Amino acid sequence: MGRLFGEFTTGQRFETPGRTITEADIVAFAGLTGDYNPVHMDEVFAAETEFGGRIAHGPLGIGLVFGLASRLDLIDGTVVALLGVTWEFKAPVRPGDTVRALIEVMSTRGVKNPDHGLLELGFTLLDQHGTIVQTGSARLLMRRTPHPKAKWGGVEAGADDDRYGRDGPSTIAPQGSHR
């Protein structure tokens, strides 16, 4: 479960693990979006451009930032809505690059609904050389309390479920055995 609104403070910073951009990523993104621009799909064509070779789709980086953030369990299950994104593309991302994201809490503020709060996150996407390839920010509507149906992150045994034995999940009993 991600963090709740009250667990964020302005100035907090997070760094994600890295992820290598693969040929499959670029092909899948082209298929998903229908963007088969030759600068992404044709090495011969792309080699003659100012990029000197194929590059990943710019919006792929935006998606990667949110995916990398989910690896830190920042907003999974606690974000209500993505309200807006501003983004800049600083340098190309190429197949084989390994990117990571720096995330900073830019601001937090209350909203009319007491169950929610507004969170603004700043993002910096860096390649393996430390080059800033993309920057941006996102405004998110966040939960102040957990959603009642969001139960991941832990396992609880029900009253009639003794799969875990008397001592709970740290002493998991084999299926079919009873203590």
Side-chain angles (χ1 to χ4, degrees):
M1 177 72 65
R3 294 172 184 237
L4 298 168
F5 175 74
E7 296 176 287
F8 291 98
T9 58
T10 300
Q12 271 180 311
R13 294 176 184 208
F14 307 92
E15 182 173 355
T16 71
R19 185 189 187 294
T20 301
I21 308 305
T22 66
E23 173 73 19
D25 295 329
I26 295 169
V27 170
F29 194 85
L32 179 67
T33 63
D35 180 353
Y36 293 97
N37 186 316
V39 76
H40 308 303
M41 306 304 296
D42 182 338
E43 183 60 40
V44 174
F45 173 87
E48 298 299 321
T49 69
E50 35 289 288
F51 298 112
R54 291 177 50 231
I55 60 171
H57 302 75
L60 176 61
I62 299 171
L64 285 169
V65 162
F66 282 95
L68 289 168
S70 77
R71 300 216 19 223
L72 299 179
D73 204 22
L74 292 179
I75 60 173
D76 288 9
T78 54
V79 65
V80 176
L82 174 63
L83 301 176
V85 175
T86 58
W87 216 257
E88 294 185 17
F89 305 95
K90 305 288 189 179
V93 175
R94 301 177 185 284
D97 281 354
T98 298
V99 296
R100 62 188 166 88
L102 305 178
I103 304 166
E104 182 174 356
V105 177
M106 306 303 289
S107 67
T108 62
R109 73 172 174 84
V111 295
K112 287 181 184 177
N113 183 333
D115 296 333
H116 301 140
L118 185 64
L119 173 68
E120 183 177 2
L121 295 176
F123 300 99
T124 303
L125 188 65
L126 302 138
D127 69 11
Q128 68 274 15
H129 306 294
T131 302
I132 296 173
V133 294
Q134 295 184 12
T135 61
S137 64
R139 289 182 307 111
L140 305 165
L141 189 63
M142 299 294 297
R143 295 188 187 286
R144 288 184 184 265
T145 59
H147 187 283
K149 299 286 185 183
K151 301 285 186 194
W152 64 89
V155 177
E156 295 182 20
D160 60 351
D161 183 356
D162 67 352
R163 286 179 297 157
Y164 300 106
R166 291 192 180 111
D167 297 327
S170 61
T171 57
I172 296 176
Q175 195 71 317
S177 72
H178 299 278
R179 294 183 192 189

